[in-house]
Structures are given as structure tokens and as C-alpha cells.
């Protein structure tokens, strides 16, 4: 069974997807973390993105693994824990440019489908309901107003001890949304059969409950 959760940057996908996975005892897959891990690799290997074939080869060969350690979902790139590094500002700045390359998307989508392998899964991303798992049992599209999304990202950084400006976060989120929504291959769109939830005025718990209820009704358990 697959629950697909798509939406723009900082719309609350991770918090909601993790919460729903926990409530239903499903496995959680963060496809954004995969594109981020690959982007970190591109930066470290100083990979030239204009050579798309080479970039795609790297994407096919790179090893990206998720491991749950207690309550934390850890990401490993070629056996190295990169859970914190993939959130770095330089990775965030480049990730949409890496993810728009078709060869790279193909490699990542293959890995995502392999990972699914008949599991009960909550998958979050941009193209999950539209491309990766078009037959997902439940499709959710999360959104929130830009100011609220920037504010939430600011709080996340504050909890880690960093002060980021709202205006800077808004600019970054808008830019990523623009690239993600206008790319030729698998742009960020809402599938016609997805249920849209605007989370601006809702708490994370409210949205988690809403999505969990939708899933339970749909899956009859
Ligand atoms: O958490 P945040 O909203 O910052 O973004 P993310 O989910 O970590 O995704 C980072 C970037 O990866 C997005 O801006 C997209 O460019 C790309 N991405 C994608 O192209 N397709 C996906 N299924 C997931 C992420």
C-alpha cells in the first residue's frame, strides 16, 4: 500500500509523512532526501552537470540508504551519515538544478520503486502521485502560503541554533518552487485524483490526523 504526499517546498510534507507513517505503522520514504544526498555528492565530487550522461551514471551508481535509529531517520551516502549535511544551504541552493536532469530523475525513480518493493509506505516528494507511483492508494497534495512556509523553515533552523532571515527563506523557497514546477521532466503538479490540504492555519497534528483518517477510510482499516 502506498500513500503519496506531494507538495511545494516547506509545505509540511516531512512532518506529516513521518507522523502518518508512525500512526499507521508504515515505512517512511523521503525522496527529497535522496535528491539532496545526490546533490551533496555532486558538490563533493565537483561534478559538471552539463555532462548529463556522466551525472546520470553517478546517480545510478551512488548508494543512498535510509536507516531508522530510534526516532531519527538517518540518510547514508556511500555508507557515510549525511543526515545533517544534506540540509546545508549550499545543497538546498543547488538541489533543484540537479533534480531537473532527466537521467538523474530516472535513476532516483528506479531506486524509489525498488525501495517500495511491496512495503506499506508513506512516500513524500514532488512527483510521487503523478509519476513515481501513479497507482498509489492515497494521494495527498499539501500546500501552505509562502509566508507560513518560510516561517516554519525559520523555526526549524532556530531549533538547530541558526538565525535565518524570513526574506531570504522566502526567496529560496519561491525560487525552488519555480524551478520544480516549470521543469520539463516530472514537474511539481497536483494529480487530478489527489486530495489537497492547505496547512497554513492547521497544526501538524491536525493534518496528520486528517491524512490518517483519509487513509484509514480508503484502505478500510
Ligand atoms: O523539504 P524541502 O521542502 O526543502 O524539500 P525536499 O523535499 O527536501 O526536496 C528538495 C528538492 O528535491 C526539491 O526542491 C526538488 O527539486 C527535489 N525533489 C524532486 O525533484 N522530486 C522529488 N520527488 C523530491 C524532491
Amino acid at each position: 500500500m502506498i500513500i503519496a504526499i506531494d507538495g511545494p517546498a516547506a509545505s509540511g510534507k516531512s512532518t506529516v509523512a513521518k507522523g502518518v507513517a508512525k500512526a499507521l505503522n508504515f515505512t517512511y520514504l523521503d525522496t527529497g532526501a535522496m535528491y539532496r544526498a545526490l546533490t551533496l555528492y555532486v558538490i563533493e565530487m565537483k561534478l559538471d552537470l552539463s555532462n548529463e550522461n556522466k551525472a546520470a551514471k553517478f546517480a545510478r551508481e551512488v548508494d543512498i540508504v535510509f536507516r531508522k535509529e530510534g526516532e531519527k531517520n538517518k540518510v547514508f551516502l556511500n555508507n557515510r551519515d549525511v543526515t545533517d549535511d544534506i540540509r546545508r544551504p549550499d545543497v538546498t541552493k543547488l538541489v533543484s538544478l540537479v533534480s531537473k536532469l532527466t537521467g538523474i530523475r530516472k535513476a532516483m525513480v528506479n531506486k524509489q520503486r525498488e525501495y517500495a518493493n511491496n512495503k506499506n509506505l508513506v512516500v513524500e516528494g514532488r512527483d510521487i502521485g503523478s509519476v513515481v507511483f501513479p497507482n498509489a492508494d492515497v494521494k495527498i497534495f499539501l500546500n501552505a502560503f509562502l509566508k507560513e512556509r518560510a516561517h516554519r523553515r525559520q523555526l526549524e533552523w532556530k531549533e538547530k541554533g541558526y538565525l535565518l532571515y524570513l526574506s531570504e527563506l522566502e526567496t529560496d523557497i519561491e525560487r525552488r518552487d519555480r524551478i520544480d514546477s516549470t521543469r520539463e521532466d516530472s514537474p511539481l503538479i497536483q494529480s487530478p485524483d489527489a486530495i489537497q490540504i492547505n496547512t497554513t492555519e492547521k497544526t501538524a497534528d491536525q493534518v496528520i490526523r486528517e491524512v490518517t483518517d483519509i487513509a484509514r477510510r480508503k484502505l478500510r482499516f
Side-chain angles (χ1 to χ4, degrees):
M1 268 173 213
I2 303 251
I3 301 173
I5 302 186
D6 289 300
S11 54
K13 296 184 302 294
S14 295
T15 312
V16 171
K18 274 183 216 159
V20 172
K22 193 170 176 201
L24 298 176
N25 202 18
F26 276 30
T27 304
Y28 161 65
L29 176 61
D30 178 359
T31 62
M34 297 175 70
Y35 288 97
R36 284 175 175 275
L38 181 65
T39 302
L40 178 66
Y41 196 48
V42 165
I43 293 171
E44 289 177 348
M45 302 299 285
K46 297 191 172 48
L47 204 67
D48 175 13
L49 290 175
S50 64
N51 187 342
E52 198 174 332
N53 282 340
K54 197 169 167 203
K57 189 169 180 287
F58 265 78
R60 282 193 299 274
E61 288 171 1
V62 74
D63 185 39
I64 300 169
V65 173
F66 293 95
R67 244 175 259 151
K68 207 161 184 256
E69 289 183 11
E71 282 301 296
K72 244 192 144 197
N73 292 288
K74 296 211 159 190
V75 191
F76 291 81
L77 169 70
N78 294 331
N79 284 323
R80 177 168 55 104
D81 184 352
V82 293
T83 313
D84 293 328
D85 278 349
I86 62 168
R87 307 284 156 197
R88 267 172 16 199
D90 57 333
V91 173
T92 303
K93 279 219 154 48
L94 189 66
V95 65
S96 287
L97 297 176
V98 172
S99 334
K100 65 183 226 178
L101 302 176
T102 292
I104 282 183
R105 297 206 71 78
K106 274 209 179 101
M108 291 295 118
V109 169
N110 278 340
K111 287 185 201 290
Q112 289 154 19
R113 291 186 182 142
E114 263 169 39
Y115 185 88
N117 190 26
N118 285 326
K119 287 191 194 80
N120 286 327
L121 216 57
V122 182
V123 195
E124 64 147 299
R126 302 290 188 289
D127 57 344
I128 308 307
S130 56
V131 174
V132 186
F133 297 114
N135 297 322
D137 303 271
V138 177
K139 296 184 188 180
I140 305 288
F141 194 89
L142 291 188
N143 213 341
F145 296 135
L146 177 64
K147 278 217 163 354
E148 175 63 19
R149 292 191 275 139
H151 180 64
R152 288 179 191 165
R153 225 358 82 97
Q154 190 185 43
L155 281 180
E156 281 169 22
W157 279 108
K158 201 175 161 197
E159 276 163 20
K160 291 182 192 166
Y162 297 95
L163 180 64
L164 271 78
Y165 290 109
L166 266 183
S167 56
E168 203 179 303
L169 288 163
E170 275 185 28
T171 308
D172 164 68
I173 289 173
E174 255 187 325
R175 175 181 157 274
R176 267 196 303 138
D177 283 353
R178 194 171 50 247
I179 303 173
D180 293 345
S181 316
T182 56
R183 70 184 173 215
E184 263 173 47
D185 191 345
S186 341
L188 164 70
I189 44 154
Q190 183 183 339
S191 296
D193 53 346
I195 298 167
Q196 186 178 23
I197 303 177
N198 189 316
T199 70
T200 306
E201 309 229 316
K202 293 179 177 169
T203 64
D205 281 346
Q206 271 175 315
V207 185
I208 291 168
R209 220 171 308 126
E210 207 173 316
V211 176
T212 309
D213 286 347
I214 292 170
R216 283 211 170 101
R217 265 201 307 274
K218 189 101 200 246
L219 309 174
R220 295 184 194 286
F221 72 94

